[in-house]
């Protein structure tokens, strides 16, 4: 039987959790168990070899109802570091291999009383592995359906390859689909991994839940081809084989992936069924992410592109015309920055409209706070916390909190005439992420059109982690600059029913794609006024470039 434990301190290690539960279980004559506590998480799992042992434990310390009311009904309450510990029966099916190992350990304990083994014999005998064979990659998202955690696939590729756990990142090498297609490589930094979930022998999947999209590359040439090219150009130079073939940074793994890569932060790797248990040995390697064993089934859902299109259309037409632009900006930010699926954002907007809260001028600030309050959809999240009803209740509490805080906080933009609030967007190789509004010092254009500051958008072109794209002699970024960033500059960014177009980008002493200023297509002055658009590109460029942060001194 498996017991799920919540509300443990995040800094508690697996050994500390095992040491804490050992005397508690010993009082119930339970000496054989397996404890799993990921680093930096507030939950743990206790696996007991027999179901009657779990029933005996839950009879004393189990919680049947959520919240404080359920904890008050517990017969013997547990506290760890002055925090109440909530124990309940897990919805996950225990791993049969682990149960067999625990039963074998319990039988050996009866025969040899002096043997104190608290880990399974199979895992202890194995040496840590770093290389695994894979048969495919799925890209999607995790969500709760009928109070059960599931994986929704939005992109799938059946490709053989190798999964490598390095010192700082995970490398997934995918073989070509055919002779015309290149070899792809996925690079996942350990710092970007929120959780690493492993399946069982029946469902041999390894699921990475990420904070940010991974880096994707193409390997076009082999080291032998590069060596032959160098020897042809420099026949007298002694050139050895290069360490790595040159890589091309790309936006996605192919057609179908480019539409979801920026909004799907879960990657599921299919591995061999015999290798699934070897992933548990990764916790012995320093710096590697912790693993949690959990059976995550598949759930069907509408395509992500369809969900996002419906959200855009509803904002564009009269469905949500009562909402201000600031509120719709924050709603789209929840979906586009991967805090909530687009269909849940649409349902949340319907609830807000029915409750007549859309008329509140503080609605945008209340929605913005949700980004730090919505938990990641994972093992340690409650199904109710991710429901639209719970999020709507949190939004109502945020509105009351913003009203009370208004008396003690100052609006810098309203207090100082030279400062205004500007919305921002970050363009990365895979997606577009929204932020703001944040106070910025006005320049010449913003002073002239001070009443239309929400029609301006400051855009930054950065890497997935928010840092500038760094030069790498082994990696070409030409595809990102020409096929990604250039298309954004030539096209428009759709936000809350508006299309933001680029007028110019920074030049002169700051020649880069680091910042750009875009203006909404429906802004009347920039469509009809001749004072700004008629006098030629040089004058227009000089006027609009003042909108960038790096040229504020010129305003």
């Amino acid at each position: 039987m498996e017991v799920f434990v919540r509300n443990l301190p995040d800094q508690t290690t697996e050994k500390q959790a095992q040491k804490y539960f050992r005397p508690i279980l010993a009082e119930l004559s339970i000496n054989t168990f397996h404890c799993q506590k990921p680093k930096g998480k507030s939950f743990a799992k206790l696996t007991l070899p027999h179901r009657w042992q779990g029933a005996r434990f839950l009879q004393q310390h189990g919680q049947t109802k959520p919240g404080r009311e359920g904890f008050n009904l517990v017969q013997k309450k547990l506290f760890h570091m002055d925090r109440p510990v909530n124990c309940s029966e897990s919805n996950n099916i225990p791993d049969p291999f682990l149960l067999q190992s625990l039963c074998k350990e319990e039988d050996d304990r009866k025969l040899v009383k002096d043997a104190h083994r608290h880990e399974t014999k199979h895992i202890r005998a194995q040496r840590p592995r770093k290389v695994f064979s894979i048969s495919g990659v799925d890209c999607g998202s995790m969500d709760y359906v009928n109070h059960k955690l599931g994986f929704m696939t939005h992109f799938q590729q059946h490709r053989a390859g190798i999964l490598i756990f390095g010192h700082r990142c995970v490398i997934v090498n995918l073989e070509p689909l055919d002779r015309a297609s290149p070899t792809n490589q996925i690079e996942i930094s350990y710092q970007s991994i929120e959780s690493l979930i492993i399946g069982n022998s029946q469902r041999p999947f390894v699921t990475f839940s990420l904070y940010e999209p991974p880096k994707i590359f193409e390997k076009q040439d082999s080291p032998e081809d590069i060596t032959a090219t160098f020897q042809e150009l420099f026949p007298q130079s002694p050139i050895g084989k290069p360490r790595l073939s040159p890589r091309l940074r790309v936006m996605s793994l192919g057609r179908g992936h480019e539409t979801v890569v920026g909004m799907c932060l879960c990657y599921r790797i299919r591995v061999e069924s015999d290798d699934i248990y070897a992933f548990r040995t990764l916790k012995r390697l320093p710096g590697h992410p912790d693993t949690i064993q959990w059976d995550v089934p598949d759930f069907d859902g509408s395509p992500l592109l369809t969900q996002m299109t419906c959200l855009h259309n509803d904002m564009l037409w009269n469905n949500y015309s009562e909402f201000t632009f600031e509120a719709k900006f924050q709603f789209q930010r929840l979906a586009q920055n991967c805090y909530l699926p687009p269909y849940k954002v649409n349902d949340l907007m319907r609830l807000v409209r029915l409750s007549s809260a859309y008329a509140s001028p503080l609605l945008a600030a209340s929605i913005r706070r949700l980004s730090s309050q919505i938990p990641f959809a994972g093992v340690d999240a409650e199904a109710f916390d991710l429901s639209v009803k719970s999020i709507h209740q949190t939004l109502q509490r945020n509105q009351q909190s913003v009203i009370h805080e208004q008396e003690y906080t100052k609006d810098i933009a309203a207090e100082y005439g030279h400062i205004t609030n500007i919305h921002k967007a970050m363009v990365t190789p895979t997606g577009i992420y929204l932020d703001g509004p944040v106070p910025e010092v006005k320049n010449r254009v913003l002073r002239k059109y001070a009443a239309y500051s929400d029609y301006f958008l400051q855009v930054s072109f950065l890497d997935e982690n928010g840092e500038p794209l760094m030069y790498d002699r082994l990696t070409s970024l030409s595809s990102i600059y020409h096929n990604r960033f250039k298309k954004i500059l030539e096209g428009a960014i759709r936000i809350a029913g508006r299309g933001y177009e680029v007028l110019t980008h920074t030049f002169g002493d700051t020649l880069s794609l680091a910042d750009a200023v875009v203006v909404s297509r429906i802004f009347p002055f920039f469509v009809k006024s001749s004072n700004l658009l008629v006098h030629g590109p040089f004058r227009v460029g000089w006027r609009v470039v003042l909108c960038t942060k790096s040229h504020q001194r010129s305003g």
Side-chain angles (χ1 to χ4, degrees), residues 216-379:
I216 304 175
F217 305 91
E218 281 185 3
K219 288 185 175 182
Q220 295 181 322
D221 299 322
S222 63
E224 290 76 9
D225 296 337
I226 299 173
T227 304
T229 303
F230 270 89
Q231 290 178 351
E232 183 178 351
L233 295 175
F234 308 100
Q236 298 179 354
S237 301
I239 300 177
K241 292 185 178 182
R243 296 181 180 179
L244 290 175
S245 59
R247 304 182 302 179
L248 176 66
R249 181 83 179 269
V250 294
M251 299 171 289
S252 62
L253 294 175
R255 182 176 299 178
H257 190 219
E258 57 186 6
T259 58
V260 301
V261 61
M263 298 180 61
C264 292
L265 300 182
C266 291
Y267 284 80
R268 190 171 63 175
I269 314 295
R270 292 187 290 274
V271 299
E272 301 293 336
S273 57
D274 297 337
D275 296 340
I276 193 66
Y277 300 104
F279 282 92
R280 297 177 183 171
T281 62
L282 291 174
K283 64 181 181 181
R284 304 182 190 176
L285 301 174
H288 287 66
D290 280 351
T291 60
I292 181 73
Q293 194 276 326
W294 199 269
D295 185 21
V296 182
D298 290 319
F299 286 134
D300 295 330
S302 59
L304 189 63
L305 183 60
T306 303
Q307 298 179 29
M308 202 64 190
T309 303
C310 292
L311 182 62
H312 278 299
N313 292 338
D314 290 342
M315 288 184 177
L316 182 61
W317 304 111
N318 296 327
N319 297 27
Y320 302 116
S321 59
E322 306 94 342
F323 291 96
T324 62
F325 170 78
E326 289 78 7
K328 290 192 286 186
F329 180 92
Q330 299 300 331
F331 276 121
Q332 182 172 338
R333 176 173 174 264
L334 291 179
Q336 200 154 318
N337 292 21
C338 310
Y339 295 112
L340 283 176
Y343 78 93
K344 284 191 176 182
V345 176
N346 221 332
D347 295 341
L348 181 62
M349 294 183 71
R350 293 192 185 99
L351 288 179
V352 174
R353 185 178 60 178
L354 293 175
S355 62
S356 301
Y358 59 86
S360 173
L362 306 177
L363 178 60
S366 305
I367 302 171
R368 186 179 181 184
R369 295 190 177 189
L370 289 177
S371 59
S372 60
Q373 297 169 333
I374 299 175
F376 268 85
V379 178

Side-chain angles (χ1 to χ4, degrees), residues 26 57 70 85 88 107 131 136 148 166 169 174 184 188 225 240 264 319 323 349 358 363 395 422 444 460 463 523:
F57 174 79
V85 179
S88 60
D107 294 339
V131 182
K148 189 174 180 61
C169 61
L174 299 173
N184 286 106
I188 303 175
D225 296 337
C264 292
N319 297 27
F323 291 96
M349 294 183 71
Y358 59 86
L363 178 60
L395 179 60
I422 292 294
R444 185 175 300 177
S460 300
D463 208 344
F523 184 38

